[in-house]
């Protein structure tokens, strides 16, 4: 891809995002879509892309525990200020890079030549959502991975922790929904 630099033009902000991610992936850095602004009609006006490590780590520990008992987390958050702003130019009908800060305050997250984990597709999310809320059986991560490999063989393979995270999140949302309705008995009556 061409180098990411100020005043480079793209047909869409998605093209700018793809070029940025491809260029930075070669260096071992992952990027995410940050905040953006929209026009009154809902069309995007500005999109900010940030390094995946851009937020600041906020340690949260139980104050009643001895500090030697605290879990040592592995967060990627380093308050990295690398970012790229892409603005829509109405007169030209295209997108232009208006801010380009590619200086990272951390080493690359990915080793040279490595690929980032694939994100789950909508099809995979639907399958996992069904498995997580199944009332007949509680599926383990290994069983869910097997179901995914059979029902969505052409989708990128997810890691075990991605599957576990999604199953846990969906189960928690289901429990919270029941709790909001007043508990098990009230949910059954409803």
């Amino acid at each position: 891809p061409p180098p990411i630099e100020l005043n480079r033009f793209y047909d869409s902000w998605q093209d700018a995002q793809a070029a940025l991610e491809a260029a930075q992936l070669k260096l071992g850095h992952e990027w995410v879509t940050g905040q953006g602004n929209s026009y009154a009609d809902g069309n995007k006006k500005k999109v900010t892309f940030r390094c995946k490590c851009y937020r600041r780590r906020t340690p949260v520990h139980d104050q009643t525990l001895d500090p030697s008992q605290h879990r040592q987390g592995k967060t990627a958050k380093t308050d990295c200020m690398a970012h790229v702003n892409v603005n829509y130019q109405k007169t030209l009908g295209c997108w232009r890079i208006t801010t380009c800060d590619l200086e990272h305050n951390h080493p690359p997250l990915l080793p040279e030549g490595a690929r980032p984990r694939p994100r789950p597709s909508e099809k995979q999310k639907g399958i996992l959502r069904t498995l997580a809320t199944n009332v007949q059986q509680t599926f383990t991560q290994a069983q869910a991975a097997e179901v995914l490999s059979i029902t969505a063989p052409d989708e990128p393979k997810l890691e075990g922790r991605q599957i576990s995270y999604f199953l846990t999140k969906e189960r928690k949302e289901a429990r919270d929904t029941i709790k909001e309705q007043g508990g098990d008995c009230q949910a059954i009556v409803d």
Side-chain angles (χ1 to χ4, degrees):
I4 304 302
E5 57 192 10
L6 278 177
N7 298 320
R8 185 165 292 278
F9 290 92
Y10 296 94
D11 292 332
S12 68
W13 66 267
Q14 291 92 342
D15 291 344
Q17 178 183 22
L20 172 67
E21 287 177 352
Q24 288 288 296
L25 190 59
K26 286 184 176 182
L27 302 174
H29 296 288
E30 290 185 72
W31 287 69
V32 295
T33 305
Q35 67 274 15
N37 296 337
S38 298
Y39 290 109
D41 61 3
N43 291 325
K44 289 209 180 275
K45 174 177 165 179
K46 172 187 160 189
V47 180
T48 301
F49 303 108
R50 294 192 167 273
C51 175
K52 189 175 181 179
C53 303
Y54 80 98
R55 289 199 171 102
R56 181 173 291 159
R57 178 182 171 270
T58 53
V60 179
H61 293 294
D62 185 354
Q63 298 301 315
T64 61
L65 287 177
D66 180 35
S68 66
Q69 298 295 318
H70 289 172
R71 180 178 163 271
Q72 297 301 316
K74 296 178 185 171
T75 183
K77 297 175 184 176
T78 64
D79 201 21
C80 182
M81 298 306 288
H83 68 287
V84 172
N85 289 347
V86 182
N87 287 336
Y88 184 66
Q89 306 295 304
K90 271 191 170 182
T91 56
L92 301 174
C94 59
W95 292 78
R96 180 173 67 96
I97 294 179
T98 55
T99 304
C100 186
D101 180 1
L102 301 176
E103 295 296 321
H104 298 272
N105 66 356
H106 56 88
L109 293 178
L110 301 171
E112 190 173 326
R115 305 285 307 158
R117 288 184 303 220
R119 292 192 173 108
S121 67
E122 290 303 316
K123 182 177 180 180
Q124 290 172 321
K125 286 180 182 179
I127 294 167
L128 289 174
R129 195 171 289 117
T130 303
L131 297 177
T133 56
N134 189 320
V135 294
Q136 301 295 326
Q137 177 183 353
T138 302
F139 286 86
T140 65
Q141 175 264 316
Q143 291 170 327
E146 183 67 26
V147 170
L148 281 177
S149 68
I150 293 169
T151 56
D154 47 329
E155 300 286 338
K157 187 176 178 185
L158 300 178
E159 290 184 7
R161 60 182 155 179
Q162 289 176 294
I163 295 171
S164 295
Y165 170 78
F166 197 86
L167 291 174
T168 303
K169 184 179 79 144
E170 288 297 321
R171 288 174 182 151
K172 182 183 182 315
E173 287 176 6
R175 284 192 306 271
D176 290 346
T177 303
I178 290 173
K179 194 181 226 182
E180 287 173 6
Q181 293 176 349
D184 292 337
C185 292
Q186 188 62 38
I188 292 170
V189 169
D190 290 345

